[in-house]
Amino acid sequence: MAWTRNVLRVNLTNGSITTEPLNMQWANDYLGQRGLATKYLVEETDPTCDALSPDNKMIMTTGPLTGTMVSTAGRYSVVTKSPLTGCIACSNSGGYFGNEMKNAGWDMVILEGKSPKPVYLYIENDKAELLPADDLWGKSAWETDEQIHAKHQDPLVRIAVVGRAAEKGCLFSAIVNDLHRAAGRSGVGTVMASKNLKAVAIRGTRGVGNISDPTKFFKASEDGKKVLAENAVTGEGLPALGTQVLMNVINEVGALPTRNHREVQFEGASKISGEAMLEVRESDGKANLTTNGACFGCTIACQRISTVDKDHFSVKDKPQYHGNSGGLEFENAWSLGSDCGVDDLDAITAANFLCNEDAVDPISLGATIAAAMELFEEGAITVKDTGGMELKFGSAEALLWATEVTVRGEGFGKELGQGSKRLCEKYGRPELSMTVKGQEFPAYDPRGIQGIGLAYATSNRGACHLRGYTVASEILGIPEKTDPLATDGKAGLVKAFQDATAVVDSAGICAFTTFAWTLEDIAPQIDAACEGDWSAERCLVVGERIWTMERDYNLAAGITGKDDTLPKRLLKDAAKTGPAEGRANDLHKMLPEYYEVRGWTLDGVPTDETRSRLGL
Amino acid sequence: MLRSLQIEPEKCTGCLQCEMACSYQAEGVFNPSKSRIKIFTFHDEGRFVPYTCTQCTEAWCLHACPVEAIVINEATGAKEVIDDICVGCKVCTIACPFGTVNYNQETAVVQKCDLCGGDPECAKACPTQAITYVDSDHSGLERMRAHAAQNLPQDNA
Amino acid sequence: MKHVIVGAGPSGVIAAETLRKVDPTSSIILIGDEPEPPYSRMALPYYLIDKIKEEGTYLRKSSSHFGNKDIDIIRDRVSTIDPKNKSLNLEHHDVINYDKLLIATGSHPITPPIEGMDLPGIHSCWTLEDGRNIVNKAKPGSNVVLMGAGFIGCIILESLALRKVNLTVIEMGDRMVPRMMDQTAGNMIKSWCQDKGVSVHTSTRVDAIEKGSGDSLKVKLDNGEVLDADLVISATGVAANIQFLDGSGLETDEGVLVNDRLQSNIADIYAAGDVCQGKDFSTGEYSVQAIQPTAADHGRIAAMNMAGKDTVHQGCVNMNVLDTMGLISSSYGLWMGIDGGESAKLCDNDRYRYLSLSFEDDVMVGAQAVGLTQHVGVLRGLIQTKLNLGKWKDHLIKDPTRIMEAYLANTQAIGHNAGVI
């Protein structure tokens, strides 16, 4: 069991709210969350639809383990068609929202159509209603969260919300829950706002039960927690330094994209690293990091809870930013930091607060600002476009300004909000956009880490590290060390990571567990919680089925093998420094082999045989 | 030697494993809303504070109960609610000045921490040892109680 | 030492038990005038809905409880007391002497001065016997008029509704529970009851009750309306049982006047519970609170002083918790606020949620809540500890739901949080 077996369907166009049983045949084939919701989307929508039209649907979904005592099992995902990439979008978030949805009794909330007026969805167990949000429209995610909490008089209502960016059409808008956790990538927040849906607020008090075999379950989840606690990354590195444990490591291996990927090492990396967040500031005697925190059920606790120096220019006389809030993860520190050439920790933290306040993906934002900075330095963008701001690499003032106008959808910020691809095309320099399928890169340069280049090129949601985190193997040696500069064997490695991650994302747990857990650790926990036999082998097949289904969606949406590529800069311009000096990414050596191990044609289309083997 | 829950908020990460463990023990489902221990979040300050009944010697809840539904477990010192006797009048919920007795509308009886009969699940589930079950003398709980109750009239027998 | 306690309600029972604990060799006599073992009126509504049997209302469940504690129970009514001779006259028993006497005779429902209140078919809801009568007469489909929407009236609403009677509530005040909640909350409770099919008339008086056809009654309202009723329940308030003290020399007002040791003007006589005009924590004045927690506190403190253990009564916070057909409300202390004090309010009429906090400087002095069941006791804690809230008062004014956080932030002086929160 473990699933609640209940689906809530909300038609925003006519305001009808209905319930239906979960399709258990599909649950057996796709497990839950990412896989299962994608199956629903595939069955119910036309992949060629306009992502921002009422024809697109948006599904909020939990996994079978969500809300149980399995470590990190508080996750939910948002599945929809991305307005940024045109691909399938699936963004995953922690915090407490996912558990609340599960406790309210829902595996899935399917949102259809478009409301004639701004509304928010309030769910209290089996009661769900659309409430007017006219007074919330135009408000930041943080203000909206506060107002909804005040209205319902319950601090334990958990809220997922979009900010001003999404309302203004920023294509990489996120959905923020619990103030600083986010379904971050691919513009899922933009889709939500396009439906005139400002927020989903949930209070769930029904409990999560239906554990198939409680004795086995507690044994398996205990074992799992022990593995996490004893692992160097999940037991020590992540709690102490968060994902920011990686900043110095990735810089040293020459894979830290800097100044829009012009370079692969950043001279200021140590100033914006996890270690730097622990250093006491001279100005106010406090460290950037106050403490680490956990998402629901997480025994790793990698969250950063941080402050910005009250006297720093970015927040001076703005008391709303003086308290603690979600601090820097490696991705945000990289995108807002080294990719823009900025080494001012306070400024980056403040920019990150702004991203949370208005629910924007900081990876795409930072990378787009980085592209704009290069366009500015190349003269393609001028102060006439920016209204006077000198968008120079390294300028913390420029970073804060660009962040603020983008998250609020003002002036030049509306252009930045279209993302790097559209921005660079508009200003005549498409080659400066560091994107795959229109989505900006995360924090690993594929010249210094070859396998991640293949993962980016083939990721079903555009450039993304969380679809196949080969960095674990290529840099950290998890589960076994491979040479980051080699291309041999990377096709199989990428496939293995992609399929395993699809399972993790479908179960209700966090991808970061895979620093310590393999499917051998995860499968027994799913098996004990869910009906049926969930061996690691079956899980892998489910993962491959999910991946291939997503690929088919993208193909149907018109995204083909031709789009499985990287920007010219990464394929042609060699790294200038570090261990990868002289190397570009050798995607051409890996891609054909990847198609082969996947059982796809040379054009990247799954063969009939592959589809039938996977039951597609 | 009586043992008590020792709570060290500075170690708490807000993961709510304790709330799940507590509710599973008490209700048979993972349901933080029914947990007897609660984590309170201080967002601006970046702090998480677990809090539950301290099994105070004053036992306000017990004395306020009109039907003797709250009794002392002599082995653990816990003040336990006997569900079959509780009528659900809620007087104990307003009498407990620490706010740690709650009414459950679904079961129509009140609920509070009973130390799981001497083997508290919350302490076992806490991954950071923010909640431990230790000899009362060493817990600092007395200080916590004393501080919390310093202004309350000590009018009990 | 011979302790005699008159009244076998919560206050008397707790006093007897406390005396046994702190004065182990004394003789203790507990006198009650009802035929049942000591029981709780708080439990009556649950008896009416068959949630518990009669035994479920008993204050102590073991039949040997009082015997084991060597507490003698006498079922009789005290007719007069004789402080000079330190003795009591009973209706059916011989004179009893005492060294220390506790008056814990509780209160009785008042009969409003309305014509026809003596007709058959009009009951109060105060004793187990009343409960049995109501159970027998409140048949499905019968017309029931409830006079008074105070605390007692409200807690029996659900039991009447569950019996599927046609229920009409008449309340003189401009809202329900006017002595416990403000306009907003009282009207919220009214609208909740109306939603559940109960007809509620506020600002309405009963002018007279007359005999109708057969066993039925006609209830005439001051707005001219006349209601047919098979059963009328009178719940218009209670008054202290002090009549038998007339001429004893004991000073009384609303109840027995006491000092801050719960001692009356006569040194060896104490009073506790509904009959006692004890100190109110919030006002510092002496008044009859007639609530369960106060009865319990009084019983303990009076007993301590009777046993020679000098114990000062700091005053009880007046507080109530009410379940009106599933809508839970509570109020504490100076819930109506004070002149010049600040307050924080949250109100959602659609969802029946209300929270109102009242402050004097940075100390909480009163509170009301509708729809809140979690951590409500901390409102008492915040009020009774007179906690200086500091900056947390502003936090509460912004978000009154953060009552537990306000309490913890100001009391949890452990770990490094002390300097942070």
Side-chain angles (χ1 to χ4, degrees), chain A residues 127-145:
Chain A
K127 282 182 289 184
E129 53 190 329
L130 289 167
L131 298 170
D134 305 278
D135 56 332
L136 301 172
W137 207 255
K139 298 264 164 66
S140 75
W142 287 359
E143 287 171 307
T144 304
D145 185 283

PDB file of all heavy atoms in Angstrom, chain A residues 127-145:
ATOM      1  N   LYS A 127     -11.501  18.001   2.386  1.00  0.00           N
ATOM      2  CA  LYS A 127     -12.186  19.197   1.906  1.00  0.00           C
ATOM      3  C   LYS A 127     -11.216  20.017   1.054  1.00  0.00           C
ATOM      4  O   LYS A 127     -10.105  20.283   1.473  1.00  0.00           O
ATOM      5  CB  LYS A 127     -12.668  20.061   3.073  1.00  0.00           C
ATOM      6  CG  LYS A 127     -13.929  19.546   3.737  1.00  0.00           C
ATOM      7  CD  LYS A 127     -14.368  20.486   4.857  1.00  0.00           C
ATOM      8  CE  LYS A 127     -13.424  20.410   6.033  1.00  0.00           C
ATOM      9  NZ  LYS A 127     -13.800  21.197   7.188  1.00  0.00           N
ATOM     10  N   ALA A 128     -11.656  20.391  -0.117  1.00  0.00           N
ATOM     11  CA  ALA A 128     -10.816  21.237  -0.956  1.00  0.00           C
ATOM     12  C   ALA A 128     -11.673  22.335  -1.541  1.00  0.00           C
ATOM     13  O   ALA A 128     -12.826  22.105  -1.909  1.00  0.00           O
ATOM     14  CB  ALA A 128     -10.178  20.414  -2.069  1.00  0.00           C
ATOM     15  N   GLU A 129     -11.136  23.534  -1.592  1.00  0.00           N
ATOM     16  CA  GLU A 129     -11.918  24.636  -2.157  1.00  0.00           C
ATOM     17  C   GLU A 129     -10.993  25.646  -2.816  1.00  0.00           C
ATOM     18  O   GLU A 129      -9.848  25.820  -2.409  1.00  0.00           O
ATOM     19  CB  GLU A 129     -12.780  25.304  -1.067  1.00  0.00           C
ATOM     20  CG  GLU A 129     -11.998  25.727   0.154  1.00  0.00           C
ATOM     21  CD  GLU A 129     -12.878  26.174   1.321  1.00  0.00           C
ATOM     22  OE1 GLU A 129     -13.964  26.713   1.068  1.00  0.00           O
ATOM     23  OE2 GLU A 129     -12.459  25.985   2.468  1.00  0.00           O
ATOM     24  N   LEU A 130     -11.545  26.287  -3.834  1.00  0.00           N
ATOM     25  CA  LEU A 130     -10.821  27.369  -4.487  1.00  0.00           C
ATOM     26  C   LEU A 130     -11.281  28.671  -3.858  1.00  0.00           C
ATOM     27  O   LEU A 130     -12.470  28.967  -3.817  1.00  0.00           O
ATOM     28  CB  LEU A 130     -11.115  27.361  -5.989  1.00  0.00           C
ATOM     29  CG  LEU A 130     -10.484  26.185  -6.758  1.00  0.00           C
ATOM     30  CD1 LEU A 130     -11.090  26.077  -8.144  1.00  0.00           C
ATOM     31  CD2 LEU A 130      -8.967  26.320  -6.832  1.00  0.00           C
ATOM     32  N   LEU A 131     -10.325  29.426  -3.347  1.00  0.00           N
ATOM     33  CA  LEU A 131     -10.656  30.674  -2.663  1.00  0.00           C
ATOM     34  C   LEU A 131     -10.091  31.850  -3.443  1.00  0.00           C
ATOM     35  O   LEU A 131      -9.056  31.721  -4.107  1.00  0.00           O
ATOM     36  CB  LEU A 131     -10.075  30.648  -1.240  1.00  0.00           C
ATOM     37  CG  LEU A 131     -10.624  29.529  -0.343  1.00  0.00           C
ATOM     38  CD1 LEU A 131      -9.826  29.426   0.943  1.00  0.00           C
ATOM     39  CD2 LEU A 131     -12.088  29.780  -0.051  1.00  0.00           C
ATOM     40  N   PRO A 132     -10.745  33.000  -3.368  1.00  0.00           N
ATOM     41  CA  PRO A 132     -10.274  34.144  -4.149  1.00  0.00           C
ATOM     42  C   PRO A 132      -8.877  34.597  -3.725  1.00  0.00           C
ATOM     43  O   PRO A 132      -8.535  34.557  -2.545  1.00  0.00           O
ATOM     44  CB  PRO A 132     -11.310  35.238  -3.851  1.00  0.00           C
ATOM     45  CG  PRO A 132     -12.112  34.754  -2.707  1.00  0.00           C
ATOM     46  CD  PRO A 132     -11.958  33.271  -2.617  1.00  0.00           C
ATOM     47  N   ALA A 133      -8.083  34.971  -4.708  1.00  0.00           N
ATOM     48  CA  ALA A 133      -6.711  35.420  -4.415  1.00  0.00           C
ATOM     49  C   ALA A 133      -6.436  36.774  -5.047  1.00  0.00           C
ATOM     50  O   ALA A 133      -5.287  37.126  -5.285  1.00  0.00           O
ATOM     51  CB  ALA A 133      -5.715  34.382  -4.906  1.00  0.00           C
ATOM     52  N   ASP A 134      -7.500  37.542  -5.290  1.00  0.00           N
ATOM     53  CA  ASP A 134      -7.287  38.870  -5.887  1.00  0.00           C
ATOM     54  C   ASP A 134      -6.350  39.708  -5.044  1.00  0.00           C
ATOM     55  O   ASP A 134      -5.511  40.451  -5.541  1.00  0.00           O
ATOM     56  CB  ASP A 134      -8.631  39.596  -6.041  1.00  0.00           C
ATOM     57  CG  ASP A 134      -9.624  38.769  -6.834  1.00  0.00           C
ATOM     58  OD1 ASP A 134      -9.546  38.804  -8.067  1.00  0.00           O
ATOM     59  OD2 ASP A 134     -10.445  38.073  -6.204  1.00  0.00           O
ATOM     60  N   ASP A 135      -6.498  39.570  -3.710  1.00  0.00           N
ATOM     61  CA  ASP A 135      -5.669  40.376  -2.819  1.00  0.00           C
ATOM     62  C   ASP A 135      -4.250  39.819  -2.684  1.00  0.00           C
ATOM     63  O   ASP A 135      -3.396  40.452  -2.099  1.00  0.00           O
ATOM     64  CB  ASP A 135      -6.328  40.468  -1.433  1.00  0.00           C
ATOM     65  CG  ASP A 135      -6.598  39.095  -0.839  1.00  0.00           C
ATOM     66  OD1 ASP A 135      -6.782  38.130  -1.616  1.00  0.00           O
ATOM     67  OD2 ASP A 135      -6.619  38.974   0.391  1.00  0.00           O
ATOM     68  N   LEU A 136      -4.034  38.615  -3.203  1.00  0.00           N
ATOM     69  CA  LEU A 136      -2.696  38.020  -3.117  1.00  0.00           C
ATOM     70  C   LEU A 136      -1.911  38.215  -4.410  1.00  0.00           C
ATOM     71  O   LEU A 136      -0.689  38.175  -4.427  1.00  0.00           O
ATOM     72  CB  LEU A 136      -2.801  36.516  -2.817  1.00  0.00           C
ATOM     73  CG  LEU A 136      -3.538  36.142  -1.526  1.00  0.00           C
ATOM     74  CD1 LEU A 136      -3.751  34.638  -1.447  1.00  0.00           C
ATOM     75  CD2 LEU A 136      -2.757  36.632  -0.306  1.00  0.00           C
ATOM     76  N   TRP A 137      -2.645  38.411  -5.495  1.00  0.00           N
ATOM     77  CA  TRP A 137      -1.992  38.602  -6.797  1.00  0.00           C
ATOM     78  C   TRP A 137      -1.157  39.869  -6.731  1.00  0.00           C
ATOM     79  O   TRP A 137      -1.606  40.888  -6.207  1.00  0.00           O
ATOM     80  CB  TRP A 137      -3.058  38.705  -7.889  1.00  0.00           C
ATOM     81  CG  TRP A 137      -2.555  38.261  -9.228  1.00  0.00           C
ATOM     82  CD1 TRP A 137      -2.235  39.064 -10.277  1.00  0.00           C
ATOM     83  CD2 TRP A 137      -2.317  36.916  -9.661  1.00  0.00           C
ATOM     84  NE1 TRP A 137      -1.810  38.306 -11.330  1.00  0.00           N
ATOM     85  CE2 TRP A 137      -1.846  36.980 -10.993  1.00  0.00           C
ATOM     86  CE3 TRP A 137      -2.436  35.660  -9.052  1.00  0.00           C
ATOM     87  CZ2 TRP A 137      -1.501  35.841 -11.734  1.00  0.00           C
ATOM     88  CZ3 TRP A 137      -2.100  34.535  -9.784  1.00  0.00           C
ATOM     89  CH2 TRP A 137      -1.638  34.618 -11.101  1.00  0.00           C
ATOM     90  N   GLY A 138       0.057  39.782  -7.233  1.00  0.00           N
ATOM     91  CA  GLY A 138       0.936  40.952  -7.141  1.00  0.00           C
ATOM     92  C   GLY A 138       1.782  40.957  -5.885  1.00  0.00           C
ATOM     93  O   GLY A 138       2.614  41.834  -5.688  1.00  0.00           O
ATOM     94  N   LYS A 139       1.554  39.970  -5.027  1.00  0.00           N
ATOM     95  CA  LYS A 139       2.353  39.880  -3.801  1.00  0.00           C
ATOM     96  C   LYS A 139       3.474  38.866  -3.980  1.00  0.00           C
ATOM     97  O   LYS A 139       3.362  37.919  -4.765  1.00  0.00           O
ATOM     98  CB  LYS A 139       1.465  39.427  -2.626  1.00  0.00           C
ATOM     99  CG  LYS A 139       0.329  40.385  -2.308  1.00  0.00           C
ATOM    100  CD  LYS A 139       0.736  41.331  -1.188  1.00  0.00           C
ATOM    101  CE  LYS A 139      -0.168  42.542  -1.059  1.00  0.00           C
ATOM    102  NZ  LYS A 139      -1.520  42.201  -0.656  1.00  0.00           N
ATOM    103  N   SER A 140       4.525  39.038  -3.212  1.00  0.00           N
ATOM    104  CA  SER A 140       5.622  38.081  -3.266  1.00  0.00           C
ATOM    105  C   SER A 140       5.171  36.754  -2.665  1.00  0.00           C
ATOM    106  O   SER A 140       4.133  36.670  -2.001  1.00  0.00           O
ATOM    107  CB  SER A 140       6.827  38.613  -2.493  1.00  0.00           C
ATOM    108  OG  SER A 140       6.592  38.512  -1.103  1.00  0.00           O
ATOM    109  N   ALA A 141       5.981  35.736  -2.871  1.00  0.00           N
ATOM    110  CA  ALA A 141       5.670  34.423  -2.286  1.00  0.00           C
ATOM    111  C   ALA A 141       5.659  34.526  -0.762  1.00  0.00           C
ATOM    112  O   ALA A 141       4.819  33.917  -0.104  1.00  0.00           O
ATOM    113  CB  ALA A 141       6.696  33.390  -2.744  1.00  0.00           C
ATOM    114  N   TRP A 142       6.591  35.283  -0.214  1.00  0.00           N
ATOM    115  CA  TRP A 142       6.673  35.400   1.248  1.00  0.00           C
ATOM    116  C   TRP A 142       5.459  36.118   1.822  1.00  0.00           C
ATOM    117  O   TRP A 142       4.885  35.702   2.822  1.00  0.00           O
ATOM    118  CB  TRP A 142       7.953  36.137   1.658  1.00  0.00           C
ATOM    119  CG  TRP A 142       9.199  35.311   1.491  1.00  0.00           C
ATOM    120  CD1 TRP A 142       9.265  34.023   1.044  1.00  0.00           C
ATOM    121  CD2 TRP A 142      10.545  35.720   1.773  1.00  0.00           C
ATOM    122  NE1 TRP A 142      10.577  33.606   1.036  1.00  0.00           N
ATOM    123  CE2 TRP A 142      11.381  34.609   1.464  1.00  0.00           C
ATOM    124  CE3 TRP A 142      11.124  36.896   2.243  1.00  0.00           C
ATOM    125  CZ2 TRP A 142      12.767  34.667   1.624  1.00  0.00           C
ATOM    126  CZ3 TRP A 142      12.512  36.961   2.405  1.00  0.00           C
ATOM    127  CH2 TRP A 142      13.312  35.850   2.101  1.00  0.00           C
ATOM    128  N   GLU A 143       5.053  37.204   1.171  1.00  0.00           N
ATOM    129  CA  GLU A 143       3.874  37.940   1.661  1.00  0.00           C
ATOM    130  C   GLU A 143       2.621  37.077   1.553  1.00  0.00           C
ATOM    131  O   GLU A 143       1.761  37.078   2.431  1.00  0.00           O
ATOM    132  CB  GLU A 143       3.654  39.211   0.833  1.00  0.00           C
ATOM    133  CG  GLU A 143       4.641  40.318   1.098  1.00  0.00           C
ATOM    134  CD  GLU A 143       4.481  41.445   0.074  1.00  0.00           C
ATOM    135  OE1 GLU A 143       4.507  41.164  -1.143  1.00  0.00           O
ATOM    136  OE2 GLU A 143       4.337  42.593   0.498  1.00  0.00           O
ATOM    137  N   THR A 144       2.536  36.343   0.450  1.00  0.00           N
ATOM    138  CA  THR A 144       1.372  35.481   0.244  1.00  0.00           C
ATOM    139  C   THR A 144       1.316  34.403   1.317  1.00  0.00           C
ATOM    140  O   THR A 144       0.257  34.124   1.889  1.00  0.00           O
ATOM    141  CB  THR A 144       1.436  34.833  -1.154  1.00  0.00           C
ATOM    142  OG1 THR A 144       1.535  35.867  -2.115  1.00  0.00           O
ATOM    143  CG2 THR A 144       0.208  33.992  -1.427  1.00  0.00           C
ATOM    144  N   ASP A 145       2.454  33.813   1.595  1.00  0.00           N
ATOM    145  CA  ASP A 145       2.545  32.786   2.638  1.00  0.00           C
ATOM    146  C   ASP A 145       2.049  33.355   3.969  1.00  0.00           C
ATOM    147  O   ASP A 145       1.240  32.735   4.666  1.00  0.00           O
ATOM    148  CB  ASP A 145       4.011  32.340   2.741  1.00  0.00           C
ATOM    149  CG  ASP A 145       4.206  31.196   3.708  1.00  0.00           C
ATOM    150  OD1 ASP A 145       4.192  31.465   4.931  1.00  0.00           O
ATOM    151  OD2 ASP A 145       4.387  30.041   3.273  1.00  0.00           O
TER     152      ASP A 145
END
